[in-house]
mmCIF file of all heavy atoms in Angstrom:
data_model
loop_
_atom_site.group_PDB
_atom_site.id
_atom_site.type_symbol
_atom_site.label_atom_id
_atom_site.label_comp_id
_atom_site.label_asym_id
_atom_site.label_seq_id
_atom_site.Cartn_x
_atom_site.Cartn_y
_atom_site.Cartn_z
ATOM 1 N N PHE A 9 177.495 71.954 210.178
ATOM 2 C CA PHE A 9 178.321 73.074 209.719
ATOM 3 C C PHE A 9 179.366 72.656 208.691
ATOM 4 O O PHE A 9 179.749 73.441 207.832
ATOM 5 C CB PHE A 9 178.973 73.804 210.898
ATOM 6 C CG PHE A 9 180.015 73.002 211.620
ATOM 7 C CD1 PHE A 9 181.331 73.005 211.188
ATOM 8 C CD2 PHE A 9 179.694 72.268 212.742
ATOM 9 C CE1 PHE A 9 182.304 72.276 211.850
ATOM 10 C CE2 PHE A 9 180.652 71.531 213.422
ATOM 11 C CZ PHE A 9 181.962 71.535 212.973
ATOM 12 N N LEU A 12 178.491 73.333 205.113
ATOM 13 C CA LEU A 12 178.345 74.721 204.666
ATOM 14 C C LEU A 12 179.580 75.158 203.876
ATOM 15 O O LEU A 12 180.705 75.056 204.359
ATOM 16 C CB LEU A 12 178.166 75.663 205.858
ATOM 17 C CG LEU A 12 176.863 75.584 206.632
ATOM 18 C CD1 LEU A 12 176.950 76.459 207.867
ATOM 19 C CD2 LEU A 12 175.697 76.010 205.752
ATOM 20 N N GLN A 13 179.339 75.661 202.689
ATOM 21 C CA GLN A 13 180.442 76.126 201.850
ATOM 22 C C GLN A 13 181.223 77.256 202.543
ATOM 23 O O GLN A 13 182.452 77.305 202.452
ATOM 24 C CB GLN A 13 179.921 76.593 200.491
ATOM 25 C CG GLN A 13 181.041 76.894 199.517
ATOM 26 C CD GLN A 13 180.544 77.321 198.161
ATOM 27 O OE1 GLN A 13 179.510 77.967 198.040
ATOM 28 N NE2 GLN A 13 181.293 76.992 197.131
ATOM 29 N N VAL A 14 180.530 78.116 203.258
ATOM 30 C CA VAL A 14 181.208 79.225 203.936
ATOM 31 C C VAL A 14 182.163 78.698 205.014
ATOM 32 O O VAL A 14 183.252 79.239 205.196
ATOM 33 C CB VAL A 14 180.197 80.255 204.495
ATOM 34 C CG1 VAL A 14 179.380 79.689 205.651
ATOM 35 C CG2 VAL A 14 180.899 81.538 204.919
ATOM 36 N N TRP A 15 181.770 77.630 205.696
ATOM 37 C CA TRP A 15 182.676 77.040 206.690
ATOM 38 C C TRP A 15 183.869 76.389 205.997
ATOM 39 O O TRP A 15 185.013 76.571 206.412
ATOM 40 C CB TRP A 15 181.943 76.009 207.561
ATOM 41 C CG TRP A 15 182.880 75.384 208.546
ATOM 42 C CD1 TRP A 15 183.251 75.889 209.760
ATOM 43 C CD2 TRP A 15 183.606 74.164 208.376
ATOM 44 N NE1 TRP A 15 184.169 75.055 210.352
ATOM 45 C CE2 TRP A 15 184.398 73.984 209.524
ATOM 46 C CE3 TRP A 15 183.651 73.214 207.367
ATOM 47 C CZ2 TRP A 15 185.239 72.885 209.703
ATOM 48 C CZ3 TRP A 15 184.489 72.110 207.529
ATOM 49 C CH2 TRP A 15 185.267 71.954 208.686
ATOM 50 N N GLN A 16 183.610 75.643 204.926
ATOM 51 C CA GLN A 16 184.691 74.973 204.193
ATOM 52 C C GLN A 16 185.709 75.979 203.674
ATOM 53 O O GLN A 16 186.919 75.791 203.828
ATOM 54 C CB GLN A 16 184.115 74.159 203.030
ATOM 55 C CG GLN A 16 183.265 72.991 203.464
ATOM 56 C CD GLN A 16 182.505 72.354 202.311
ATOM 57 O OE1 GLN A 16 182.626 72.760 201.162
ATOM 58 N NE2 GLN A 16 181.707 71.344 202.625
ATOM 59 N N ARG A 17 185.214 77.059 203.075
ATOM 60 C CA ARG A 17 186.123 78.057 202.500
ATOM 61 C C ARG A 17 186.900 78.786 203.586
ATOM 62 O O ARG A 17 188.098 79.056 203.429
ATOM 63 C CB ARG A 17 185.333 79.040 201.637
ATOM 64 C CG ARG A 17 184.910 78.404 200.318
ATOM 65 C CD ARG A 17 184.062 79.306 199.490
ATOM 66 N NE ARG A 17 184.786 80.476 199.007
ATOM 67 C CZ ARG A 17 184.293 81.326 198.112
ATOM 68 N NH1 ARG A 17 183.080 81.115 197.595
ATOM 69 N NH2 ARG A 17 184.996 82.363 197.721
ATOM 70 N N SER A 18 186.236 79.110 204.687
ATOM 71 C CA SER A 18 186.938 79.832 205.753
ATOM 72 C C SER A 18 187.957 78.935 206.456
ATOM 73 O O SER A 18 189.026 79.398 206.846
ATOM 74 C CB SER A 18 185.953 80.450 206.741
ATOM 75 O OG SER A 18 185.166 79.466 207.383
ATOM 76 N N ALA A 19 187.654 77.651 206.591
ATOM 77 C CA ALA A 19 188.620 76.717 207.186
ATOM 78 C C ALA A 19 189.835 76.570 206.280
ATOM 79 O O ALA A 19 190.985 76.540 206.744
ATOM 80 C CB ALA A 19 187.961 75.360 207.441
ATOM 81 N N ARG A 20 189.586 76.496 204.977
ATOM 82 C CA ARG A 20 190.682 76.399 203.999
ATOM 83 C C ARG A 20 191.545 77.664 204.043
ATOM 84 O O ARG A 20 192.776 77.593 204.011
ATOM 85 C CB ARG A 20 190.089 76.172 202.605
ATOM 86 C CG ARG A 20 191.030 75.568 201.628
ATOM 87 C CD ARG A 20 190.379 75.040 200.347
ATOM 88 N NE ARG A 20 189.151 75.699 199.907
ATOM 89 C CZ ARG A 20 187.938 75.134 199.926
ATOM 90 N NH1 ARG A 20 187.778 73.909 200.354
ATOM 91 N NH2 ARG A 20 186.885 75.786 199.490
ATOM 92 N N LEU A 21 190.896 78.828 204.136
ATOM 93 C CA LEU A 21 191.630 80.093 204.220
ATOM 94 C C LEU A 21 192.490 80.123 205.489
ATOM 95 O O LEU A 21 193.650 80.530 205.447
ATOM 96 C CB LEU A 21 190.672 81.282 204.197
ATOM 97 C CG LEU A 21 191.291 82.660 204.403
ATOM 98 C CD1 LEU A 21 192.313 82.984 203.306
ATOM 99 C CD2 LEU A 21 190.205 83.733 204.460
ATOM 100 N N SER A 22 191.933 79.683 206.586
ATOM 101 C CA SER A 22 192.680 79.670 207.843
ATOM 102 C C SER A 22 193.934 78.812 207.719
ATOM 103 O O SER A 22 195.031 79.224 208.118
ATOM 104 C CB SER A 22 191.796 79.145 208.979
ATOM 105 O OG SER A 22 192.511 79.123 210.187
ATOM 106 N N ALA A 23 193.795 77.631 207.149
ATOM 107 C CA ALA A 23 194.953 76.744 206.962
ATOM 108 C C ALA A 23 195.988 77.388 206.044
ATOM 109 O O ALA A 23 197.201 77.306 206.295
ATOM 110 C CB ALA A 23 194.495 75.401 206.400
ATOM 111 N N GLU A 24 195.509 78.050 205.010
ATOM 112 C CA GLU A 24 196.397 78.733 204.067
ATOM 113 C C GLU A 24 197.198 79.834 204.760
ATOM 114 O O GLU A 24 198.394 80.007 204.516
ATOM 115 C CB GLU A 24 195.545 79.345 202.953
ATOM 116 C CG GLU A 24 196.174 79.295 201.590
ATOM 117 C CD GLU A 24 195.201 79.828 200.541
ATOM 118 O OE1 GLU A 24 194.326 79.061 200.108
ATOM 119 O OE2 GLU A 24 195.346 81.013 200.176
ATOM 120 N N LEU A 25 196.545 80.590 205.624
ATOM 121 C CA LEU A 25 197.229 81.658 206.366
ATOM 122 C C LEU A 25 198.351 81.077 207.216
ATOM 123 O O LEU A 25 199.475 81.586 207.215
ATOM 124 C CB LEU A 25 196.238 82.411 207.270
ATOM 125 C CG LEU A 25 195.182 83.247 206.573
ATOM 126 C CD1 LEU A 25 194.083 83.638 207.557
ATOM 127 C CD2 LEU A 25 195.790 84.480 205.929
ATOM 128 N N PRO A 44 192.236 85.874 213.792
ATOM 129 C CA PRO A 44 190.893 86.061 213.210
ATOM 130 C C PRO A 44 190.616 85.056 212.090
ATOM 131 O O PRO A 44 189.467 84.665 211.869
ATOM 132 C CB PRO A 44 190.889 87.491 212.693
ATOM 133 C CG PRO A 44 192.319 87.838 212.506
ATOM 134 C CD PRO A 44 193.066 87.048 213.558
ATOM 135 N N GLY A 45 191.678 84.619 211.397
ATOM 136 C CA GLY A 45 191.493 83.604 210.359
ATOM 137 C C GLY A 45 190.949 82.311 210.941
ATOM 138 O O GLY A 45 190.096 81.658 210.339
ATOM 139 N N LEU A 46 191.412 81.950 212.126
ATOM 140 C CA LEU A 46 190.931 80.757 212.813
ATOM 141 C C LEU A 46 189.561 81.002 213.441
ATOM 142 O O LEU A 46 188.729 80.087 213.535
ATOM 143 C CB LEU A 46 191.944 80.348 213.886
ATOM 144 C CG LEU A 46 191.704 79.048 214.632
ATOM 145 C CD1 LEU A 46 191.652 77.870 213.668
ATOM 146 C CD2 LEU A 46 192.793 78.846 215.668
ATOM 147 N N SER A 47 189.315 82.231 213.838
ATOM 148 C CA SER A 47 188.050 82.589 214.474
ATOM 149 C C SER A 47 186.854 82.456 213.532
ATOM 150 O O SER A 47 185.761 82.099 213.968
ATOM 151 C CB SER A 47 188.145 84.032 214.998
ATOM 152 O OG SER A 47 186.914 84.470 215.500
ATOM 153 N N ILE A 48 187.062 82.722 212.253
ATOM 154 C CA ILE A 48 185.942 82.699 211.303
ATOM 155 C C ILE A 48 185.297 81.303 211.251
ATOM 156 O O ILE A 48 184.109 81.170 211.591
ATOM 157 C CB ILE A 48 186.369 83.190 209.903
ATOM 158 C CG1 ILE A 48 186.876 84.631 209.969
ATOM 159 C CG2 ILE A 48 185.195 83.087 208.931
ATOM 160 C CD1 ILE A 48 187.661 85.075 208.736
ATOM 161 N N PRO A 49 186.023 80.243 210.861
ATOM 162 C CA PRO A 49 185.359 78.929 210.809
ATOM 163 C C PRO A 49 184.962 78.416 212.192
ATOM 164 O O PRO A 49 183.950 77.715 212.330
ATOM 165 C CB PRO A 49 186.397 78.017 210.149
ATOM 166 C CG PRO A 49 187.708 78.672 210.400
ATOM 167 C CD PRO A 49 187.432 80.149 210.426
ATOM 168 N N SER A 50 185.716 78.787 213.213
ATOM 169 C CA SER A 50 185.387 78.332 214.569
ATOM 170 C C SER A 50 184.052 78.896 215.034
ATOM 171 O O SER A 50 183.232 78.175 215.625
ATOM 172 C CB SER A 50 186.500 78.737 215.549
ATOM 173 O OG SER A 50 187.719 78.141 215.179
ATOM 174 N N ASN A 51 183.819 80.171 214.771
ATOM 175 C CA ASN A 51 182.555 80.782 215.177
ATOM 176 C C ASN A 51 181.387 80.308 214.324
ATOM 177 O O ASN A 51 180.264 80.194 214.822
ATOM 178 C CB ASN A 51 182.662 82.305 215.170
ATOM 179 C CG ASN A 51 183.279 82.807 216.450
ATOM 180 O OD1 ASN A 51 182.684 82.720 217.508
ATOM 181 N ND2 ASN A 51 184.508 83.298 216.354
ATOM 182 N N ILE A 52 181.640 80.013 213.048
ATOM 183 C CA ILE A 52 180.583 79.431 212.215
ATOM 184 C C ILE A 52 180.178 78.079 212.806
ATOM 185 O O ILE A 52 178.992 77.790 212.984
ATOM 186 C CB ILE A 52 181.043 79.282 210.749
ATOM 187 C CG1 ILE A 52 181.257 80.652 210.110
ATOM 188 C CG2 ILE A 52 180.017 78.470 209.944
ATOM 189 C CD1 ILE A 52 181.991 80.610 208.770
ATOM 190 N N ALA A 53 181.167 77.262 213.119
ATOM 191 C CA ALA A 53 180.897 75.934 213.678
ATOM 192 C C ALA A 53 180.135 76.048 214.995
ATOM 193 O O ALA A 53 179.122 75.366 215.204
ATOM 194 C CB ALA A 53 182.211 75.180 213.889
ATOM 195 N N ALA A 71 181.836 85.959 213.465
ATOM 196 C CA ALA A 71 182.645 85.450 212.357
ATOM 197 C C ALA A 71 182.822 86.515 211.287
ATOM 198 O O ALA A 71 183.923 86.702 210.752
ATOM 199 C CB ALA A 71 182.004 84.194 211.756
ATOM 200 N N CYS A 75 186.220 88.437 209.933
ATOM 201 C CA CYS A 75 186.543 88.546 208.509
ATOM 202 C C CYS A 75 187.045 89.962 208.196
ATOM 203 O O CYS A 75 188.035 90.140 207.484
ATOM 204 C CB CYS A 75 185.284 88.230 207.708
ATOM 205 S SG CYS A 75 185.564 87.283 206.233
ATOM 206 N N LEU A 78 190.494 90.421 209.753
ATOM 207 C CA LEU A 78 191.506 89.762 208.932
ATOM 208 C C LEU A 78 191.815 90.584 207.686
ATOM 209 O O LEU A 78 192.980 90.751 207.325
ATOM 210 C CB LEU A 78 191.040 88.356 208.543
ATOM 211 C CG LEU A 78 191.934 87.582 207.577
ATOM 212 C CD1 LEU A 78 193.350 87.437 208.120
ATOM 213 C CD2 LEU A 78 191.311 86.224 207.276
ATOM 214 N N GLU A 102 188.839 86.580 198.918
ATOM 215 C CA GLU A 102 188.221 85.465 199.630
ATOM 216 C C GLU A 102 187.505 85.961 200.893
ATOM 217 O O GLU A 102 186.396 85.522 201.188
ATOM 218 C CB GLU A 102 189.277 84.403 199.983
ATOM 219 C CG GLU A 102 188.712 83.133 200.560
ATOM 220 C CD GLU A 102 187.820 82.317 199.626
ATOM 221 O OE1 GLU A 102 187.599 82.701 198.454
ATOM 222 O OE2 GLU A 102 187.319 81.279 200.068
ATOM 223 N N THR A 103 188.109 86.903 201.619
ATOM 224 C CA THR A 103 187.438 87.426 202.819
ATOM 225 C C THR A 103 186.180 88.197 202.442
ATOM 226 O O THR A 103 185.186 88.154 203.167
ATOM 227 C CB THR A 103 188.359 88.320 203.673
ATOM 228 O OG1 THR A 103 188.829 89.423 202.897
ATOM 229 C CG2 THR A 103 189.539 87.546 204.247
ATOM 230 N N ILE A 106 183.571 85.458 201.642
ATOM 231 C CA ILE A 106 183.146 84.790 202.879
ATOM 232 C C ILE A 106 182.237 85.720 203.676
ATOM 233 O O ILE A 106 181.199 85.292 204.183
ATOM 234 C CB ILE A 106 184.375 84.338 203.712
ATOM 235 C CG1 ILE A 106 185.065 83.161 203.017
ATOM 236 C CG2 ILE A 106 183.973 83.985 205.143
ATOM 237 C CD1 ILE A 106 186.431 82.804 203.584
ATOM 238 N N SER A 107 182.598 86.982 203.764
ATOM 239 C CA SER A 107 181.772 87.960 204.477
ATOM 240 C C SER A 107 180.385 88.068 203.848
ATOM 241 O O SER A 107 179.364 88.112 204.547
ATOM 242 C CB SER A 107 182.472 89.321 204.481
ATOM 243 O OG SER A 107 181.751 90.242 205.257
ATOM 244 N N MET A 109 178.873 85.735 202.100
ATOM 245 C CA MET A 109 178.171 84.484 202.386
ATOM 246 C C MET A 109 177.624 84.491 203.813
ATOM 247 O O MET A 109 176.500 84.045 204.061
ATOM 248 C CB MET A 109 179.110 83.288 202.187
ATOM 249 C CG MET A 109 179.535 83.085 200.743
ATOM 250 S SD MET A 109 180.876 81.884 200.583
ATOM 251 C CE MET A 109 179.937 80.364 200.630
ATOM 252 N N LEU A 110 178.414 85.008 204.743
ATOM 253 C CA LEU A 110 177.957 85.112 206.127
ATOM 254 C C LEU A 110 176.759 86.055 206.233
ATOM 255 O O LEU A 110 175.798 85.769 206.941
ATOM 256 C CB LEU A 110 179.098 85.584 207.044
ATOM 257 C CG LEU A 110 180.154 84.536 207.338
ATOM 258 C CD1 LEU A 110 181.379 85.170 207.966
ATOM 259 C CD2 LEU A 110 179.591 83.439 208.240
#
Side-chain angles (χ1 to χ4, degrees):
F9 68 87
L12 290 173
Q13 188 179 33
V14 68
W15 178 83
Q16 294 170 2
R17 286 176 67 171
S18 62
R20 201 167 29 249
L21 175 61
S22 180
E24 217 176 278
L25 292 166
L46 186 59
S47 174
I48 299 164
S50 299
N51 277 291
I52 294 168
C75 219
L78 175 57
E102 188 65 1
T103 59
I106 289 169
S107 185
M109 294 169 82
L110 286 167

